[in-house]
Amino acid sequence: MSAEIKIFIERYVKEIKENNAAMFLGAGFSKSSGFVDWKGLLKDVALELELNIDKESDLVSLAQYHCNRNRNRSVINDIIFEEFSQNKGISENHRILARLPIFTYWTTNYDSLIEDALKDIQKVVDIKYTNKHLSITKLCRDAIVYKMHGDKSSPDDTIIVKDDYEQYYRKHAPFITALNGDLISKTFLFIGFSFVDPNIDYILSRMRIEYGEGCMRQHYALMRKIKESDYKSNEDFEYANTKFSLFLEDLKRYNIKVLLLDDYSDITAILREIERKINYYNIFKLW
């Protein structure tokens, strides 16, 4: 484990102990449980449009193209419901997160893995995926899970096509306000998130303009390094690596420090070490 990651762990454990930590989980975090990422979810949609999903980067527009052609989003709704209603096992990463004394979880995922992991250890979870949920507080809650893009149980209300994103700032303004407040007051750890989501980009941009870089809280993200084996040619790898480096530099504008990992399995090792330090602190406190 690198010195940089060890320093991060110390700082993040301190934030957890002071009740200032939050988690943000993207689609990549659920892949270890067998759920697909966005490209996997929209693979058949791309085929129907005679497009190659591997060549597409604007997946929001891709989903919108399919909606336009069919004059509705019923097919996409069915895909979301069928994929995320499958009974997948809770991963070790989800279980570790659930055991940590963290109160605030944000996710763009439609699955229920994080709330299932929390419930599995008898924690009372307050789940928010509609504006109405935000106005109701569950009694004696141990954790709150904000599902800002909706839930598998209501696929027609999930955020996936361009129409949804264009109307998000009006229809889901309370979620923007809530996330904005947490980003100001808590230290986030982003896992499995690619930062290409238009809503997150908008929120981070507004925060930077309104508060300035010097007043923004430090946040962290775990990401895997670009690997040559992921690409068909050295030229493709070099191009992707250059673009990735520029992307990481850009995230610094929002006070997001990216910790690069050799492999996705390193996430488990980091979470275990965070849990170990928290448990050690709790035992020491009892003495």
Side-chain angles (χ1 to χ4, degrees):
M1 197 172 290
S2 70
E4 183 181 45
I5 290 178
K6 288 179 180 178
I7 291 171
F8 150 71
I9 290 173
E10 291 292 342
R11 290 176 178 172
Y12 195 66
V13 166
K14 181 177 181 292
E15 297 290 359
I16 293 175
K17 290 189 294 186
E18 295 175 354
N19 297 317
N20 292 329
M23 283 282 176
F24 198 111
L25 308 178
F29 196 71
S30 293
K31 286 191 73 174
S32 60
S33 292
F35 282 122
V36 296
D37 57 13
W38 260 48
K39 282 201 170 187
L41 184 68
L42 297 176
K43 183 178 180 180
D44 290 341
V45 167
L47 283 174
E48 192 173 332
L49 294 171
E50 300 179 41
L51 296 173
N52 184 343
I53 192 66
D54 294 327
K55 294 182 179 180
E56 297 300 319
S57 58
D58 187 355
L59 301 180
V60 173
S61 292
L62 177 67
Q64 184 65 52
Y65 297 155
H66 189 275
C67 185
N68 295 345
R69 176 168 290 185
N70 290 276
R71 297 292 187 269
N72 62 66
R73 53 177 286 173
S74 61
V75 172
I76 291 177
N77 291 343
D78 289 344
I79 291 173
I80 291 173
F81 183 78
E82 290 169 9
E83 170 61 29
F84 294 105
S85 292
Q86 296 180 48
N87 187 22
K88 304 286 186 179
I90 301 170
S91 73
E92 183 179 0
N93 289 341
H94 283 90
R95 293 190 186 280
I96 297 172
L97 281 194
R99 292 195 297 265
L100 294 176
I102 292 175
F103 181 74
T104 305
Y105 298 83
W106 281 85
T107 183
T108 50
N109 298 344
Y110 311 130
D111 65 70
S112 61
L113 289 176
I114 186 58
E115 52 263 49
D116 290 345
L118 289 161
K119 292 175 183 177
D120 202 47
I121 57 172
Q122 308 305 310
K123 285 190 176 182
V124 177
V125 190
D126 196 355
I127 305 166
K128 314 287 192 185
Y129 60 87
T130 69
N131 290 343
K132 186 177 180 180
H133 291 151
L134 293 176
S135 64
I136 302 171
T137 300
K138 194 167 188 176
L139 293 176
C140 303
R141 62 188 184 182
D142 299 304
I144 181 168
V145 177
Y146 294 97
K147 308 185 76 171
M148 63 181 293
H149 284 179
D151 183 81
K152 63 183 181 181
S153 63
S154 185
D156 193 46
D157 297 319
T158 56
I159 309 302
I160 188 168
V161 302
K162 190 179 289 187
D163 281 342
D164 301 325
Y165 281 95
E166 289 174 350
Q167 299 176 60
Y168 195 89
Y169 318 111
R170 179 174 59 84
K171 288 188 174 182
H172 301 278
F175 275 90
I176 293 176
T177 300
L179 179 54
N180 190 71
D182 280 345
L183 285 166
I184 293 168
S185 61
K186 301 178 185 297
T187 295
F188 272 73
L189 174 58
F190 293 85
I191 311 179
F193 192 68
S194 61
F195 290 96
V196 296
D197 184 88
N199 287 334
I200 302 301
D201 186 59
Y202 171 84
I203 292 169
L204 291 172
S205 298
R206 295 306 306 170
M207 279 183 57
R208 180 172 175 270
I209 292 170
E210 292 176 15
Y211 296 96
E213 293 181 42
C215 297
M216 292 175 66
R217 200 176 185 93
Q218 179 69 68
H219 304 295
Y220 301 91
L222 300 180
M223 292 186 183
R224 198 195 71 165
K225 297 174 183 175
I226 294 287
K227 291 188 176 182
E228 191 170 355
S229 58
D230 295 333
Y231 298 89
K232 295 180 179 179
S233 68
N234 182 259
E235 183 181 356
D236 288 344
F237 164 69
E238 292 294 342
Y239 183 88
N241 200 37
T242 298
K243 190 171 182 180
F244 187 58
S245 297
L246 294 169
F247 162 70
L248 297 183
E249 284 295 319
D250 191 57
L251 284 180
K252 292 178 181 178
R253 294 191 302 137
Y254 309 117
N255 265 21
I256 297 172
K257 181 178 179 60
V258 176
L259 302 160
L260 293 176
L261 312 176
D262 292 321
D263 193 82
Y264 291 120
S265 61
D266 294 341
I267 293 173
T268 306
I270 291 171
L271 294 179
R272 282 176 180 163
E273 183 61 12
I274 290 173
E275 183 180 32
R276 186 189 72 79
K277 287 185 175 293
I278 289 292
N279 289 341
Y280 178 81
Y281 167 77
N282 288 338
I283 293 171
F284 181 78
K285 190 169 64 172
L286 288 174
W287 290 351

